[in-house]
Amino acid sequence: MNMFEARMNELYELVKYHAGLYYDKDSPEISDAEYDSLVRELRQLEQDYPQYARKDSPTQTVGSQASELFAKVEHVTPMLSLDNVFDLNPSITPKKGQISQNKLDSLEGFFSGINQDGGFVCEMKIDGLAVSLVYEDGIFVRGATRGNGLIGEDVTENLMLVDAVPKKLVDAPAGRVEVRGEVLMTDERFNAVNALRESRGEKLFVNPRNAAAGILRNKDSKDLIPMSLDIFLYYLVDAERFGVITQSGALSWLAEHGLPVQNAYEVCADIVAAKEFIQRWQNERYKLNYHTDGVVVKLNDLTRWPEIGATSHAPRWAVAYKYPPEEARTRLTDIKISVGRTGVLTPVAILEPVIVSGTTVQRASLHNWNYIRQKDIRIGDYVYVSKAGEIIPQVDRVDESSRESGLKRVMPPCAEPVRCPFCGSEAVRIPDEVALRCPNRASCPAQLKESLTYFASRDGMNIRGIGKKLAEKLASSGKIHILSDIYTLTAEDWMSLDKIGELSAQNILAQLEGSKSRQPANLVTALGIPDVGKNTAELLMSHFGSIDALMSAGEEELAAIEGIGAVIARSVHDFFGNDENRRMIEAFRDLGFVMGGEAHNAGGKLAGKTFVFTGTLEGMTRDEAGEKVKAFGGKVSGSVSGKTDYVVVGEKPGSKLKKAQSLGVEVLTEAEFLALTGITYDKD
Ligand code: IVH
């Protein structure tokens, strides 16, 4: 695999992981700007190296899977997302007579080649959650989230509680009306909700968008809905049925029928006027009491939308221009250290409080010591801070013009932490990495707290009752040295931790017992191997079938798996190469965990047989063929080895065919594969 393919595979994983946190869990770990830049890099690579692009790429899908909590709703007209652009003008001026322009990067590029008669409507891009509202004869009957664009969640009951959603339209037309817009939370309401949650000892929301999504997509926070959610509508489905032929007409129609529409929009005669709107609103938008992260530019003449069309996930008649993250200037008064789940020591800037994009910032990430050195950030400096997606603000750069004399450079070894501030272990620099790490994975209380929380999380062992607070107490109790130790604690041990009563202790024990039968992929996720999230863990387990097989895999074998890049392969290999970690796996086995491979559809007719697919199959995709093999108890591998039983060859096979021939592995055509396995096509 070359470096581009490897990076693309890595990006697939990263984007999927972070999209899951954002859309499904409403609790992102990185800023929107960082997420956007991962997607941008992936799109660019997909454009440059289409041969490595995957059909299931996260760039080709919209939003998330509908949650099981709600009934599913099929969107008769798909709910699309929007493509993003980050520049107003193309970065390179096209040569005369040449239209080849990278459409991905600019507003002007996006609309080049599209008939722009009738101009545009520019609307602020609301940072909220897309919903569809359906009215029958003027009565609100159904509300749904976007979900994956085709299937959303039925959140009618919750939307009924939102004051801003009219339950009855003004001057309603007969029959069905569907409108779409954005559920949001204003800044004041966000502060009020968080204040309430703080007083109840509940986790605070990181930003208004996540708060709005979290509350709307939850059955247990109904009480919070009336005080927290608002809505703006911006889309009238089948507008022409109502005699509406422009987007500005649609916005007026919505308002006339009693639906809330934001005021921050304008008709712009041409792209020059659209750019002017974008520039004007760059600072104006902070006067709005809700968050916006860009401007949506839509072709005003909506009668041409159908012919202009859409990609699988976004229309070609509209695009979102995203503003660069906002920066604020403040003084850096100190540098402290925080320790993450994998022991990485991160320097954190302590700041004089400053407001960035509407909220106060007092701490900001400095990433690592190289970052500090490269940017020459010194204690006492005035620095620029940005908040982007309002997750963890970061220090971008120093205002050198206002540096006072006498400030010392932050330089190793004196300023570099030689010891972990939490457990006193000597910090190590990982070869090839800029990060410093506390090597004391097993018993550093700061790491243990983070890894316990992660271990117990939903994607991990899903042990309800063990959250951050309890994890912290456990970690500092001295009762736990490695993760598996939590299974050896007695009810008394649990009760000796603050505020744990007998009932809660018994409940935790029951949860722990139940968690032992979770899927091996959950255990692999829960281990917290760096760079291995839920998706990667599932991919690894579907490939290896058991934790034992995974543990004994070589680095190259791991990297040969489609979807696993060099970084992940190394990380997995290193993790299982560590004696302490291996002992922990043995402890899990002794505790009775499901390790995989026990009853791998042993009765299936392909049991014990390993297949490798190469080239394009005629009747199904390789993934579909693989699924069928697995359903019959067989295994599918991404690489040919002595253990491979059959290599199935489609059109334009890769190097795997040669390898099979050189190893003397049996090679099957697609027809032979079907005949041998008795597999039939679903269609035709
Ligand atoms: S129009 C067919 N207008 O941004 C696409 N979307 O990043 C219709 N959004 O999915 C979308 N403000 O959830 C439109 N004024 C606005 C918007 C807006 C926010 C959201 C919407 C969309 C997402 C894409």
Side-chain angles (χ1 to χ4, degrees), residues 385-675:
V385 181
S386 73
K387 220 159 51 126
E390 299 112 51
I391 315 303
I392 305 169
Q394 66 167 2
V395 172
D396 295 325
R397 62 200 163 92
V398 172
D399 177 3
E400 283 183 14
S401 62
S402 58
R403 172 172 287 164
E404 288 163 15
S405 62
L407 298 188
K408 281 198 214 99
R409 257 178 199 276
V410 177
M411 285 254 292
C414 53
E416 207 160 327
V418 187
R419 296 192 171 277
C420 166
F422 297 89
C423 69
S425 303
E426 197 163 320
V428 291
R429 186 179 296 281
I430 312 296
D432 303 338
E433 270 188 45
V434 284
L436 279 175
R437 212 176 271 249
C438 163
N440 183 11
R441 252 192 93 86
S443 52
C444 168
Q447 280 187 64
L448 207 49
K449 171 193 153 199
E450 297 296 330
S451 39
L452 277 167
T453 315
Y454 189 73
F455 183 84
S457 69
R458 223 169 67 187
D459 288 344
M461 302 318 287
N462 196 16
I463 304 160
R464 265 168 285 151
I466 304 187
K468 258 194 187 314
K469 277 199 183 134
L470 189 54
E472 187 165 6
K473 286 189 186 125
L474 264 177
S476 50
S477 70
K479 293 184 196 298
I480 305 276
H481 299 290
I482 51 173
L483 287 170
S484 50
D485 286 349
I486 54 169
Y487 288 86
T488 62
L489 299 186
T490 62
E492 285 69 40
D493 287 329
W494 287 102
M495 284 159 68
S496 71
L497 301 166
D498 256 19
K499 282 193 201 151
I500 300 251
E502 165 111 44
L503 215 60
S504 311
Q506 292 300 347
N507 180 33
I508 291 176
L509 289 180
Q511 292 266 341
L512 285 165
E513 197 50 40
S515 74
K516 292 179 184 172
S517 51
R518 292 210 87 195
Q519 291 299 311
N522 292 102
L523 179 56
V524 174
T525 309
L527 293 172
I529 305 170
D531 294 308
V532 178
K534 178 175 168 243
N535 289 328
T536 307
E538 280 171 359
L539 183 68
L540 289 169
M541 288 317 294
S542 75
H543 182 90
F544 290 103
S546 73
I547 294 185
D548 285 329
L550 173 65
M551 277 209 290
S552 54
E555 199 172 324
E556 265 182 35
E557 187 181 355
L558 286 159
I561 300 170
E562 203 173 321
I564 303 293
V567 173
I568 296 175
R570 152 113 54 108
S571 173
V572 172
H573 189 251
D574 287 355
F575 184 89
F576 289 115
N578 174 291
D579 287 343
E580 180 99 30
N581 291 336
R582 293 182 84 92
R583 269 198 295 279
M584 179 163 71
I585 299 293
E586 290 319 308
F588 283 126
R589 190 194 312 281
D590 293 344
L591 284 161
F593 274 67
V594 179
M595 310 297 278
E598 288 89 354
H600 197 67
N601 198 358
K605 63 178 162 187
L606 301 182
K609 300 287 179 218
T610 301
F611 287 75
V612 172
F613 293 91
T614 177
T616 312
L617 301 181
E618 235 174 59
M620 56 182 108
T621 65
R622 285 199 298 266
D623 283 348
E624 283 164 356
E627 283 310 313
K628 303 224 174 205
V629 165
K630 281 187 240 164
F632 286 127
K635 275 202 219 161
V636 179
S637 170
S639 56
V640 182
S641 72
K643 289 188 205 139
T644 312
D645 294 287
Y646 301 105
V647 172
V648 181
V649 180
E651 213 164 294
K652 297 209 190 106
S655 58
K656 288 172 193 159
L657 173 58
K658 280 207 187 91
K659 181 129 191 224
Q661 285 161 341
S662 73
L663 290 174
V665 174
E666 188 164 347
V667 175
L668 301 176
T669 63
E670 187 173 350
E672 285 166 342
F673 164 68
L674 296 176

Side-chain angles (χ1 to χ4, degrees), residues 1-52:
M1 192 181 324
N2 71 27
M3 59 186 274
F4 298 112
E5 189 180 3
R7 177 64 183 156
M8 282 168 79
N9 284 336
E10 226 150 47
L11 286 167
Y12 285 130
E13 276 298 305
L14 282 169
V15 171
K16 268 197 202 155
Y17 173 72
H18 291 295
L21 289 178
Y22 181 88
Y23 288 114
D24 298 331
K25 308 234 175 75
D26 304 315
S27 86
E29 282 171 4
I30 58 172
S31 71
D32 290 4
E34 282 167 302
Y35 176 77
D36 284 342
S37 100
L38 292 175
V39 174
R40 226 182 316 167
E41 186 187 349
L42 180 56
R43 272 186 204 283
Q44 190 65 54
L45 284 166
E46 285 179 335
Q47 204 180 52
D48 295 344
Y49 303 95
Q51 68 271 37
Y52 306 133

